[in-house]
Structures are given as C-alpha cells and as structure tokens.
Amino acid sequence: MQLSLTINNKPTVLDVEPDMPLLWLIRDEAQLKGTKFGCGKAQCGACSLYVDGDLIRSCSYPSQMANGKKITTIEGLSEDETHLHPVQQAWLEVQVPQCGYCQSGFMMAAAKLLEGNPNPTVDDIKNGISNICRCGTHPRIIKAILLAAKLKNDGKQG
C-alpha cells in the first residue's frame, strides 16, 4: 500500500504493508532511528511519537492509519541541533539518561504534557506520563520536565 505522510515536515511517500506498525515504517523505511522498540504492546512508551499532534505508541499503530497525516518524531521535535526544544535542552542539562533507550519516548511525552500544562507539578508529571524507564531515572526525568517548563515559560519555546 502506498502511503503519503508528512514526517517531520517533509512530505514522504512510502510503499509498505498496511498493517505494518508505524514504528517500523519510521525506523526501517524512513530511516529515523530515534524512536525505539520497547515492549511491542504499547505499554512502555519507548515508541512514542505524534500523529497529527496526538501522542501515540507507534508499536501498535498500523501504518495505514497514518496515511495523509503529519508524523513528528524525536528528530523533528526541535528545529535543528542548534535550536533544541526546551525538553531536549533540559534533558541535556539534567543529564537524564542512563542507558538512554527509553528517553526519546519520554521526551515526546514530556513535550506533549507541557503543551497542555505549562506549569506542571510533580504529581501532574507522575500522573500525566505513563512511560517506563527500567534504569530508574524517573527522579531526573521529573527534574528535567520541571526545568523544561521553566525554559519554555522563559521564552525558550520549542
């Protein structure tokens, strides 16, 4: 099935199996490797990305459902490497990752949280993000999201 998508603001046409999970379209066909495979059951959030601005778990999202839609991956979260999204900047400043495998999904979820809640509390973060980090970096993730909110509110928009 031929799909027309916009991936990180780039119009793209790909010929894929319609039931292929969007994760594999992004990683194997579009060659964007930032989105990770975690559990394969839409539980851990390592595969999180945006479809038309909605946060989804791409491991369980059929590619055919993305036809004609706008996809944003971690590679498209910021303009470029010199203009990072506040969440990416905060992740660097706090040095969140341990192994780093789940971090792109967490950053996508954090950016989405901040769109709807520019001043989250620790409880808002704990209740609003259901991603899983097996390394136990959650305290640094919360610290980074609070910093990202400050950076975003101080005008360092992403």
Side-chain angles (χ1 to χ4, degrees), residues 7-51:
I7 303 174
N8 298 334
N9 295 318
K10 181 181 171 188
T12 305
V13 177
L14 296 168
D15 190 18
V16 299
E17 292 296 321
D19 59 347
M20 169 191 278
L22 183 60
L23 170 66
W24 301 123
L25 180 148
I26 293 298
R27 287 187 56 82
D28 295 343
E29 305 299 327
Q31 297 298 310
L32 295 168
K33 304 295 186 180
T35 306
K36 305 296 186 197
F37 175 77
C39 65
K41 298 178 181 176
Q43 297 293 309
C44 73
C47 63
S48 298
L49 51 73
Y50 303 154
V51 175

Side-chain angles (χ1 to χ4, degrees), residues 85-91 93-94 107 110-111 114 118-120 125 141-158:
H85 186 281
V87 168
Q88 293 169 315
Q89 185 63 44
W91 242 251
E93 291 184 26
V94 175
M107 286 189 274
L114 294 177
N119 294 301
I125 296 167
I141 289 169
I142 290 168
K143 186 176 177 181
I145 293 171
L146 293 172
L147 176 59
K150 181 180 182 329
L151 293 172
K152 191 169 182 166
N153 292 332
D154 288 348
K156 297 180 179 178
Q157 296 285 328

Side-chain angles (χ1 to χ4, degrees), residues 109-125:
K112 178 53 74 182
L113 176 77
L114 294 177
E115 281 181 27
N117 184 352
N119 294 301
T121 64
V122 170
D123 284 341
D124 292 336
I125 296 167

Side-chain angles (χ1 to χ4, degrees), residues 96-118:
V96 172
Q98 185 165 324
C99 83
Y101 196 82
C102 65
Q103 299 302 304
S104 61
F106 262 108
M107 286 189 274
M108 297 302 285
K112 178 53 74 182
L113 176 77
L114 294 177
E115 281 181 27
N117 184 352

